[in-house]
Amino acid sequence: MEGGNKIRIGVYVCHCGGNISDVVNVKKVVEEVRKEKDVVVARDFMFMCSEAGQKLIEDDIRSGKVNAVVVASCSPRLHEATFRAAITRAGGNPYMYYHVDIREECSWVHEDNKEEATNKAVRQIKAAIAYLRHAEPLSKIRVNCERSVLVIGGGIAGLRAALDLAESGLTVYLVERAPFLGGNAARIGRVKVFPYEKTAIDIVRELIERLRKMGNVAIYTNAEVENVSGYVGNFDVTIRVNPRYFRGKPNEYEIEELKKICPRKTRDEFSYGVSERTAIMLPPFNGAYPEIPAIDMALCDKCGLCTKVCNKVDLSQESQIIHLKVGAIVVATGFKPYKPEKGEYGYGLPGVVTLQELVGIINRYGDVVINGKRPRSIAFIYCVGSRQRREEGRKANEYCSRYCCIAALDVAVTIKEFLKGVTIYHVVRDVRSYGVNELLFEEASRQGQIIIKYDIDEGEPQVTYINGKPIVKVKDVLTEHMELELPVDLVVLVTGMEPSDGTADIAEKLKISRGTDGFLQEVHPNLGP
């Protein structure tokens, strides 16, 4: 240590309410580490993270006994910051500290061998003591921070974040992979979203209009983050902006000709595959940004027909590389809807669609029309692609996606408003309508929509196709497990969410952890909600 001050190490071992001490012999650990050179204090306590546990450390520092600290407890992800703060409050140096994880790394993984778990804990703490013998007290330094933010993702979360940051006075760079802003929210289209009494497209359009008026916002669509280096406050970011192959906005006549001339067609992802689009991707809604089309080169065969009807087409355009310096990065990469496998709950049969496909139908026709007819009965089957049981050789999304129940109720209430006589069944494991969304559930009940609850242990609902109609077979918990057969005109699979394409790539570039579900890992809710 600087100034010749002798190192005086305090070691504090946590029981974690039995999470550690039920396997690791905490008393023996304390006895062993107490013998180590430079260890002046060795204690154990039931909950070191508690106020009383932190006070033990603070008192030992204030009394002058200890000037370096080892805490052996749970993961540093949970409480490293907690103990550094306690050391600081007591006047110690928070960097003369080492956090040893003996819960996840010892007790939880070696329940079958308590002796070796204990020995391993001793070895890890001795290593921490050795580290502190050579540690130097550090001081915080202040560095200049770029007053700009990169927002990755131009869906509704990215738009909202970008607007809030811009209004606070920061320079904002918004990067979106797709050719147009809006993400999943824009795809909901003309369906009103509860509780705003506005269509999703109106909300997106309003955010885009407000963003475009901000002088401190730069928007890059059809663009990707290629590389990120640097550190908090000073990131160097490389953006690749892919060409749109248009020099400007075509006029109305040119747009109509472009629609007719392009021979290359595919299912339109903006309408969830309900309609088709060509390789020339036109702005998908009024108020979309940018208003300039883009050519999908993965589909285009460069036949050149489009250049004959529109002089703004430029197939020679190349990618641009842009270098940015930013102080912070917001990741708002969103999600993609779960796509059922063929045959899953009857998916692929006539009259069986996902909730997103139903939304696409409503947006296209302004009505619910299946095979040219309005349905007189609809069954919504919940938890498709969420809360799945893990089976050998099969991918499973074990989490609740949280939004699906509310989305299904919202669409069902909307349908009931223009299909007055339709019978609607909700085949559910549970209905999770959080907070104010409980009002939506009550409205569906007032409309006479029928809830059928099934128990997964008794089997999932089965969808078959007989005499030209889907039939849902299910045991209803609410009617003493009566086995029901529901012949309906339409089955709607209420699908959950999965990480968006590219999540793994952006996580790698930014060195962000991902959970077992594949989504980006958030900070621990108790430490940074």
Side-chain angles (χ1 to χ4, degrees):
M1 290 185 68
E2 291 179 351
N5 292 328
K6 188 176 185 315
I7 187 80
R8 300 183 300 279
I9 301 171
V11 178
Y12 304 85
V13 184
C14 184
H15 291 244
C16 199
N19 276 298
I20 294 171
S21 57
D22 285 352
V23 176
V24 174
N25 187 336
V26 169
K27 297 293 183 184
K28 182 180 177 182
V29 170
V30 171
E31 288 171 12
E32 289 298 316
V33 299
R34 185 177 283 130
K35 301 171 187 175
E36 286 293 293
K37 179 188 171 188
D38 300 319
V39 173
V40 296
V41 172
R43 306 182 191 278
D44 62 284
F45 195 72
M46 183 58 69
F47 291 106
M48 279 305 305
C49 61
S50 67
E51 188 175 335
Q54 293 177 57
K55 191 172 184 301
L56 289 176
I57 299 172
E58 292 176 38
D59 288 347
D60 287 343
I61 293 172
R62 288 195 180 100
S63 69
K65 286 182 187 176
V66 166
N67 59 12
V69 173
V70 174
V71 174
S73 61
C74 57
S75 167
R77 278 190 169 200
L78 294 176
H79 287 302
E80 183 173 10
T82 303
F83 296 118
R84 287 196 193 277
I87 294 167
T88 303
R89 287 196 301 273
N93 188 295
Y95 303 104
M96 294 299 293
Y97 169 73
Y98 201 99
H99 192 108
V100 182
D101 181 358
I102 62 169
R103 187 181 70 177
E104 284 82 346
E105 294 181 12
C106 293
S107 67
W108 282 4
V109 293
H110 300 300
E111 287 182 279
D112 58 336
N113 193 335
K114 295 184 179 182
E115 182 178 356
E116 183 49 36
T118 302
N119 293 337
K120 183 178 178 181
V122 171
R123 291 195 300 271
Q124 288 185 268
I125 295 170
K126 284 182 177 180
I129 293 166
Y131 169 89
L132 286 175
R133 287 196 190 107
H134 300 282
E136 295 286 343
L138 301 176
S139 301
K140 285 186 178 180
I141 60 172
R142 187 176 292 272
V143 296
N144 292 328
C145 177
E146 295 288 334
R147 288 190 55 78
S148 56
V149 182
L150 172 69
V151 177
I152 305 173
I156 196 162
L159 292 171
R160 180 76 257 178
L163 183 60
D164 289 345
L165 291 163
E167 289 179 340
S168 73
L170 297 169
T171 299
V172 177
Y173 303 101
L174 177 61
V175 176
E176 167 56 43
R177 283 204 325 168
F180 307 98
L181 296 178
N184 284 313
R187 297 165 77 187
I188 298 172
R190 68 176 74 191
V191 176
K192 286 186 177 180
V193 289
F194 183 83
Y196 302 104
E197 290 304 310
K198 292 181 182 179
T199 65
I201 211 79
D202 285 339
I203 296 170
V204 169
R205 190 184 290 119
E206 181 183 313
L207 288 171
I208 291 172
E209 287 173 359
R210 290 174 63 186
L211 260 184
R212 292 183 66 184
K213 291 176 183 176
M214 305 294 294
N216 53 339
V217 177
I219 300 173
Y220 302 100
T221 55
N222 221 27
E224 298 178 71
V225 175
E226 283 229 318
N227 187 57
V228 178
S229 60
Y231 52 92
V232 174
N234 290 272
F235 291 108
D236 292 301
V237 182
T238 304
I239 307 292
R240 177 181 292 275
V241 181
N242 297 309
R244 305 184 78 83
Y245 303 102
F246 275 82
R247 287 192 297 268
K249 179 184 176 183
N251 59 39
E252 289 184 16
Y253 171 78
E254 289 171 326
I255 287 174
E256 291 305 314
E257 290 301 306
L258 287 169
K259 286 179 182 177
K260 291 185 285 187
I261 200 74
C262 183
R264 303 288 290 169
K265 291 182 172 59
T266 187
R267 306 311 300 178
D268 185 4
E269 58 278 337
F270 190 79
S271 69
Y272 298 106
V274 169
S275 57
E276 285 188 328
R277 67 165 174 85
T278 66
I280 301 169
M281 303 175 74
L282 299 168
F285 59 92
N286 290 332
Y289 182 83
E291 298 173 321
I292 301 170
I295 295 179
D296 178 2
M297 278 300 168
L299 183 61
C300 175
D301 60 3
K302 293 191 177 181
C303 66
L305 292 174
C306 53
T307 62
K308 296 176 182 177
V309 298
C310 180
N311 61 13
K312 297 180 179 69
V313 176
D314 181 3
L315 297 178
S316 67
Q317 286 184 356
E318 296 182 351
S319 299
Q320 289 181 292
I321 300 296
I322 295 173
H323 299 282
L324 304 173
K325 286 190 76 69
V326 298
I329 300 173
V330 175
V331 184
T333 48
F335 71 95
K336 65 179 180 182
Y338 174 81
K339 182 78 170 175
E341 297 176 7
K342 189 171 183 180
E344 187 176 356
Y345 294 102
Y347 189 63
L349 293 173
V352 181
V353 299
T354 66
L355 181 63
Q356 288 78 20
E357 289 165 349
L358 176 60
V359 168
I361 291 167
I362 294 172
N363 284 329
R364 183 171 186 188
Y365 300 107
D367 200 347
V368 180
V369 180
I370 303 297
N371 300 325
K373 296 180 181 178
R374 291 174 124 197
R376 291 174 295 178
S377 55
I378 304 173
F380 289 81
I381 299 179
Y382 285 50
C383 293
V384 177
S386 292
R387 302 174 69 192
Q388 293 172 311
R389 287 185 165 180
R390 190 166 293 281
E391 296 176 8
E392 189 72 34
R394 179 186 168 191
K395 175 190 168 189
N397 297 329
E398 298 176 280
Y399 50 85
C400 169
S401 294
R402 289 181 64 97
Y403 86 106
C404 336
C405 293
I406 302 160
L409 287 166
D410 196 12
V411 172
V413 166
T414 301
I415 289 172
K416 195 72 174 174
E417 289 173 359
F418 58 83
L419 289 182
K420 301 293 185 184
V422 69
T423 300
I424 295 179
Y425 303 97
H426 296 271
V427 182
V428 307
R429 287 178 66 180
D430 307 283
V431 177
R432 295 180 173 180
S433 51
Y434 299 90
V436 69
N437 296 298
E438 188 69 20
L439 298 174
L440 199 57
F441 178 76
E442 291 177 4
E443 177 60 24
S445 299
R446 276 195 295 271
Q447 291 180 346
Q449 299 186 33
I450 301 164
I451 305 294
I452 296 169
K453 179 177 170 63
Y454 69 93
D455 184 342
I456 193 69
D457 291 330
E458 295 185 8
E460 299 173 340
Q462 302 295 314
V463 180
T464 55
Y465 198 73
I466 301 174
N467 297 327
K469 291 183 81 169
I471 294 180
V472 179
K473 296 181 180 180
V474 60
K475 284 187 178 179
D476 180 23
V477 172
L478 303 178
T479 54
E480 298 182 346
H481 305 270
M482 184 184 295
E483 194 159 330
L484 304 178
E485 289 192 4
L486 310 172
V488 292
D489 298 313
L490 176 63
V491 174
V492 181
L493 306 182
V494 181
T495 53
M497 63 170 72
E498 294 185 315
S500 60
D501 294 331
T503 297
D505 181 56
I506 202 69
E508 176 63 28
K509 287 173 180 172
L510 296 175
K511 301 298 182 280
I512 305 173
S513 298
R514 293 198 298 153
T516 54
D517 54 16
F519 286 95
L520 299 175
Q521 187 72 55
E522 297 179 6
V523 181
H524 187 277
N526 292 337
L527 301 180

